[in-house]
Amino acid sequence: DNLKWLYHVNFFSYVSMAQQSIAHLEKTAGRIITVGSAAGRTGLPKVAEYSSSKHALFGYFESLRYDMRGKSSKVSITTCTIGSIDTENARKGTKDANIPGFMWHPADVCAETIAIGGQARVYNVFYPFAQTYPIFILRSFPKLAEFVIEQFGFE
């Protein structure tokens, strides 16, 4: 079933790797970097299953970050919110989507942005910033989000 597969790939695999690595990361002041999606920061039309798996990812690792800080851990956790990155899988997954003004962004620049953020131990990385950061505004104002979705024809 697609929902179970999405959770396995987008959530449980990250949790499993982190749990198996945490002892070593503690010894080395290591880094955990998770890659999520703008759809994981707020609900979006036509991607409920995918969105929920990415919400779980952010919820788990942002909570884990607080738990680690409470233990004075030197492990850093960076969560990355990415938008429409030009990859074969992304193009295949959105081929039937009719999203006005949709733009692809280069995967190599995204990867570099994630690496820089992880190296700097920042809490959150947004790429492309102009596409992903406004999600937080829409999350804070659900009626505005509904208006934007209706105006741009995402339904």
Side-chain angles (χ1 to χ4, degrees):
D1 143 70
N2 192 51
L3 183 62
K4 287 180 184 175
W5 179 82
L6 280 170
Y7 269 82
H8 179 74
V9 170
N10 291 337
F11 176 67
F12 290 117
S13 62
Y14 277 88
V15 171
S16 177
M17 286 188 287
Q19 289 174 341
Q20 292 176 35
S21 304
I22 204 78
H24 176 73
L25 294 172
E26 285 286 1
K27 293 176 192 171
T28 61
R31 297 166 174 84
I32 296 173
I33 302 170
T34 64
V35 180
S37 165
R41 293 293 188 181
T42 191
L44 295 173
K46 302 179 183 178
V47 290
E49 292 178 349
Y50 173 80
S51 181
S52 68
S53 70
K54 292 299 188 173
H55 273 272
L57 179 75
F58 287 126
Y60 180 85
F61 282 98
E62 289 173 356
S63 295
L64 182 61
R65 181 188 301 129
Y66 289 119
D67 293 344
M68 302 296 284
R69 298 274 308 190
K71 298 178 192 175
S72 300
S73 173
K74 293 183 174 128
V75 175
S76 67
I77 298 176
T78 300
T79 56
C80 304
T81 305
I82 62 171
S84 51
I85 307 307
D86 194 4
T87 65
E88 184 179 334
N89 276 349
R91 284 191 180 264
K92 188 167 55 173
T94 58
K95 70 178 189 247
D96 296 327
N98 183 18
I99 304 170
F102 189 80
M103 285 179 51
W104 291 105
H105 299 276
D108 59 336
V109 178
C110 180
E112 181 180 7
T113 303
I114 290 169
I116 290 168
Q119 179 65 29
R121 298 180 181 268
V122 300
Y123 281 5
N124 299 290
V125 170
F126 301 94
Y127 180 82
F129 186 82
Q131 186 183 46
T132 55
Y133 193 75
I135 292 293
F136 285 98
I137 295 169
L138 294 178
R139 249 176 88 191
S140 300
F141 301 97
K143 290 290 187 189
L144 175 61
E146 288 176 11
F147 174 78
V148 170
I149 288 167
E150 290 169 3
Q151 292 303 307
F152 288 97
F154 292 114
E155 295 189 73

